[in-house]
Every structure is written in C-alpha cells, then in structure tokens.
Amino acid sequence: MNSILQHDLNDFENILEKAKQQGVDFLNNLENIPTSNKNRIDPKRDLNELGLGSSEALQEFNERLAPLLVSSPGPRYWGFVTGGSTPASIVGDWLASVYDQNTQSITSQGGNSALIEFETINLLLQLLELPDAFLGGFVTGATMSNFTCLGVARQWFGKQFGKDFAKNGISEPINILTATPHSSSIKSLSMLGIGSQNYTVVKTIEGNREAIDIIDLEEKIKELNGKTFILISSAGTVNTADFDDFEAISDLKKRYNFWWHIDAAFGGFAAVSDKYKHLVEGWEGADSITIDCHKWLNVPYESAFYLVKKEHLNLQIETFQNSNAPYLGNALENFNYLNVLPENSRRLRALPVWFSLVAYGKEGFCDIVEKSTLLALHFGNALIENGDFELMAPIRLNNVCFTLKGDENQDKVAEFLTKLNDTGTVFMTPTLYENRKGIRASFVNWRTTENDIKIVMKEMVEIVSQI
C-alpha cells in the first residue's frame, strides 16, 4: 500500500474527528458566516508529486478553499429556494459516504441497498398523502427528475403512434402544453431532443396569476384536433408559488388523451400541512411528479426524486434500460434502478431523506412548512409597512416576490440587490415578473426566524437610503 494511504488508514479516526469538529464549528457559526463574499483563488494549482496526506490537505483546504464558501445552509440564504441541512439529514449523508453503496438492486448478491430507497419512497408517499400507485427513485435534483419523467412521457407519446422513440429516435412532432414552466423543464426538453422552444404557451389566469387558465387550456387541446400531447403543470411556480388547478386538470384527463406531468419541486410539500394541502388536491391523477428534497425537506444537495405511475414501468424501462448488458437479466423480473433512471452509478441518496423522515416525522415537516409560510407573510408585511418596497404578487406560500416601490425606481433594483447581497447578511435572487425587475426571497430553511427578518430589513432600509 502507498505509504501516504497507509498513514491515513492508521490515523483514520483522528482525521475524521478533525473533519467532524470542523463541520460542527461551521454549522454552529452559520449565523455569522457571510451569505456572499468576493474571495477568489487561482485554480491552476500544481498537483503534488507525492501527496500531502489527509491532515495536511485539510489544512490547505482551510487556508485556500474554505474562504470561498458561504452560509448557503444558513437562516438568511433566501435565494434559489434552498433549504439547509437538518442534523438527521447530515447523519444520513455522512453515512451514505461511509457505506459508499452503488444503489441499484433489490435482489442481487452484490448488495440490495435499493430496498432502503424503496422504503424511503414509501415514507415520502405517506408524507405527501399520495397512493402507492407511484414508483419512485432518487436523482440529483429537479432537473434530472423532470428529465426522467419527461423521458418516459416522450416514450409514451411515441407509443401513441406505435413507435419506439427510445430505440429509433423521435419521428413525430411532440406536442407540449404549459403555462409557466420552470427552466429545468425547458432544459429537459432540450436534452431529450424535443426542443427547448417546442412548446405551446397556455394563458395564465387573469389577476396577477401564474397558474394555467383551464378554459384556454381546453381551447388549446381542441385546436390539436384529437392529437395527443404532454402537459407540464406546476405545484409552486418559482416566482410566486402559484399552483395549477389539479382537480380541473383531472377532469380534462378523463376526456382527453395526454401525459400529465407536475413539477412540484418545492410546492409538493404543501401536502404535509392541513392549511395548504388544498393546493395539491387532485395531483394524484398525474402520470409523473417531480419533487426536490434539498429544498423544503432540508437535506444536503444533491437530492430529488421522481414519481411515475407504476402502470408506465414498461415505458420507463424502454427509455432507460441498459439493453447492451445481458448480465443484468430481465429488466422487469429483476428490478434495478439503472434500468429506470439516467444514471448507472448512484450513491445511496435515499439515506439522508430516510433519516430525516424517521427522525422528525410528519409533524416535524408540517412545522417547517407552516413556519416558513408564516415567515414569508411576516417579511411581506414588513416590506409593505416600510413603504420603500412593494409586493409584485400575493404571497401564496413561501416565496416573496417584491421590488422597489415606484416605476421610477426600476433602474435601481439591480444596484440595490447587488449592494444588499454584498453585505453578506442575506442572499436573494433577481427576477423578472410581468416585465418588471424584481427580487425573490424564498423561505424554506428550518433555521430561519423572525429575528433574521429584522436583521435583513435593517440592512435593506439602510441600503435604500444610500441609493
């Protein structure tokens, strides 16, 4: 064995203890670590000839690389709908690295850690009050979940013409209807060869809404003259957390032939609260659903899962199976995740979620969702009371979309946000809503409190006075 590796092996416990303590110190100090910084490095470092060993590598990391890192798991990181990491989820994530499984099979001699994934999906279906008619699995994020779901939808579409698009390529125009799709869905259309501009925009409901206008949707369906299509709908749009009317879409599905996909990356967790579950009434009728765990479930990146109805399993296998690997056996008889997902190599991503669900239960996540929505309302009220800001849309759940008050201040929005983020006190993201420049704050982090809002408002008032 290499001498450096041997030394690390002999000192393994001490090395891990140092890393653990560093992690604890970081997490315990999150409130004081900036949400943004301007630190830089020259990334053209020379590779060592002999290697430093883990302890010295950790020392160099602390000196050169750690200053680049921000408190994205912290209570005032309100950009990108980013959750933090709960203690239980970190335990699961660390153990996923320690056990280092390639999670694929449920029946093989080489390890059956996929049974943990099956159990975790079962727990998630209970949390979200969805039927076990869905088969699910873990992927890196909402983009890959949308990609997986829409990949199966593409295969389903081809079958309506008696064609196998997965084997022979797309040979028919694919009809896509959507109103306010997330960029990850559009990216998925590009990667699937459907085309990032190959969709028909359905009108949204009048009155400052991002949700599908059901009347216009049916008109667009009729214009297709009986042609089948794929519908991409939203459970929580990215700017205003708006929801499509799933019960109305369910009624349409009884009369028309289409694949119904729901992007519920963060909004799906409305289902855990009695106050907000009405927003997803009827979503169990969808063919596929995308949900992101590193948002409101507050587990470490990268974690999302797909849900596809079990009745479509054959289509899913046709889309993703390793057809040139005979040693894998019959894909239907011997279930293996590599035959139903894009990745062949996949870590045990389910474990952080399993630990979280078992540790905190439905009530714990209900508390996080309801607290987040209350904080969003609290922040919105603070913005209105201040008078220098205005809401661009009603606060429907956990996202606050706002801007500087008055059209004459539109040219100052970017400057204001840059100065605000540069303080390192808070991080929010810019947006464009109804052709106006705005700012989006997303409340999903389990650590955020009302005091964080007071801290942020103080900074915002000071910056407004400067510009």
Side-chain angles (χ1 to χ4, degrees):
M1 183 182 292
N2 173 273
S3 60
I4 300 290
L5 272 170
Q6 183 68 62
H7 181 272
D8 275 1
L9 179 60
N10 295 340
D11 198 32
F12 212 172
E13 186 173 352
N14 181 47
I15 292 167
L16 292 180
E17 182 62 33
K18 287 180 181 178
K20 183 200 80 172
Q21 192 56 53
Q22 180 162 327
V24 170
D25 291 345
F26 174 79
L27 293 171
N28 284 341
N29 196 40
L30 270 178
E31 291 187 1
N32 302 313
I33 297 170
T35 55
S36 182
N37 65 52
K38 295 183 178 179
N39 299 329
R40 300 290 184 269
I41 62 167
D42 179 358
K44 296 181 179 180
R45 179 195 185 281
D46 291 332
L47 178 64
N48 309 2
E49 187 67 31
L50 298 177
L52 302 176
S54 294
S55 292
E56 289 192 39
L58 180 60
Q59 182 178 339
E60 181 178 329
F61 167 81
N62 289 332
E63 292 170 356
R64 294 185 59 249
L65 307 187
L68 297 172
L69 308 182
V70 298
S71 61
S72 54
R76 294 189 298 276
Y77 198 90
W78 299 348
F80 305 120
V81 199
T82 303
S85 297
T86 58
S89 72
I90 292 173
V91 171
D93 200 59
W94 281 4
L95 289 178
S97 294
V98 169
Y99 285 105
D100 197 22
Q101 304 292 295
N102 183 9
T103 301
Q104 302 288 3
S105 177
I106 59 174
T107 57
S108 76
Q109 289 182 307
N112 294 308
S113 59
L115 287 169
I116 298 172
E117 190 157 338
F118 265 58
E119 177 165 303
T120 306
I121 293 295
N122 175 56
L123 294 173
L124 285 165
L125 290 174
Q126 293 176 57
L127 178 72
L128 301 172
E129 297 186 359
L130 283 168
D132 67 359
F134 288 97
L135 177 71
F138 282 85
V139 289
T140 56
T143 302
M144 289 312 296
S145 180
N146 280 325
F147 177 85
T148 302
C149 294
L150 293 172
V152 185
R154 182 189 66 178
Q155 185 70 355
W156 172 88
F157 191 94
K159 291 292 182 175
Q160 309 311 300
F161 298 88
K163 298 185 177 182
D164 188 334
F165 284 178
K167 285 185 178 178
N168 303 312
I170 300 172
S171 56
E172 298 287 341
I174 299 180
N175 306 306
I176 309 283
L177 300 183
T178 187
T180 316
H182 187 265
S183 59
S184 63
S185 291
I186 305 306
K187 185 175 184 177
S188 296
L189 295 180
S190 173
M191 293 190 293
L192 288 164
I194 296 171
S196 60
Q197 297 183 343
N198 185 29
Y199 62 92
T200 299
V201 178
V202 180
K203 290 179 182 177
T204 54
I205 301 171
E206 291 184 5
N208 204 338
R209 296 290 303 275
E210 290 186 299
I212 287 174
D213 182 322
I214 296 297
I215 294 174
D216 188 61
L217 173 59
E218 187 160 17
E219 288 178 0
K220 293 286 194 302
I221 294 172
K222 290 178 179 177
E223 289 172 7
L224 289 171
N225 294 319
K227 294 177 183 176
T228 192
F229 64 95
I230 296 168
L231 175 68
I232 301 175
S233 62
S234 298
T237 55
V238 72
N239 277 327
T240 68
D242 207 350
F243 286 71
D244 293 327
D245 186 339
F246 299 142
E247 290 183 302
I249 294 173
S250 294
D251 289 338
L252 290 175
K253 206 167 190 321
K254 295 173 185 176
R255 292 183 279 130
Y256 300 99
N257 183 35
F258 63 94
W259 180 283
W260 178 17
H261 174 62
I262 300 176
D263 185 338
F266 67 91
F269 289 104
V272 309
S273 165
D274 288 339
K275 292 181 180 179
Y276 301 107
K277 65 170 57 177
H278 66 277
L279 294 169
V280 294
E281 288 288 336
W283 71 328
E284 67 278 0
D287 293 288
S288 59
I289 302 174
T290 282
I291 300 184
D292 212 337
C293 297
H294 55 239
K295 290 183 168 61
W296 233 338
L297 205 64
N298 281 260
V299 304
Y301 274 109
E302 311 152 333
S303 183
F305 62 100
Y306 75 87
L307 294 173
V308 174
K309 284 282 178 63
K310 291 177 181 177
E311 65 190 76
H312 302 308
L313 180 57
N314 276 12
L315 298 173
Q316 194 167 354
I317 290 173
E318 289 172 5
T319 304
F320 295 110
Q321 68 179 328
N322 277 258
S323 55
N324 63 339
Y327 60 87
L328 298 173
N330 186 297
L332 281 171
E333 292 179 1
N334 303 301
F335 180 88
N336 192 304
Y337 269 114
L338 64 80
N339 286 317
V340 296
L341 285 173
E343 304 111 326
N344 282 11
S345 303
R346 46 199 310 273
R347 76 194 300 263
L348 185 50
R349 287 196 191 96
L351 202 55
V353 176
W354 184 91
F355 266 90
S356 301
L357 295 172
V358 171
Y360 307 123
K362 186 163 187 177
E363 184 173 326
F365 287 104
C366 178
D367 287 346
I368 292 174
V369 167
E370 293 186 354
K371 185 189 78 169
S372 297
T373 54
L374 281 174
L375 289 170
L377 290 169
H378 185 68
F379 182 54
N381 288 334
L383 292 171
I384 294 169
E385 290 171 5
N386 172 264
D388 290 318
F389 307 94
E390 62 178 283
L391 296 180
M392 303 181 81
I395 298 171
R396 299 186 176 91
L397 197 63
N398 63 315
N399 282 357
V400 182
C401 191
F402 69 99
T403 191
L404 297 178
K405 192 170 186 178
D407 289 340
E408 69 276 9
N409 289 315
Q410 276 287 287
D411 290 340
K412 298 179 181 178
V413 173
E415 178 189 1
F416 168 81
L417 183 57
T418 298
K419 287 182 179 291
L420 179 63
N421 286 340
D422 279 348
T423 67
T425 302
V426 66
F427 179 77
M428 291 185 264
T429 45
T431 192
L432 191 68
Y433 183 69
E434 295 190 337
N435 295 316
R436 296 180 71 207
K437 296 175 184 176
I439 299 167
R440 191 193 66 193
S442 186
F443 292 84
V444 286
N445 192 298
W446 66 283
R447 292 175 178 264
T448 308
T449 66
E450 287 188 17
N451 189 54
D452 292 303
I453 292 173
K454 291 179 183 177
I455 292 169
V456 172
M457 284 302 303
K458 183 179 178 181
E459 290 282 5
M460 291 173 66
V461 169
E462 186 173 335
I463 292 170
V464 163
S465 68
Q466 294 173 3
I467 64 170

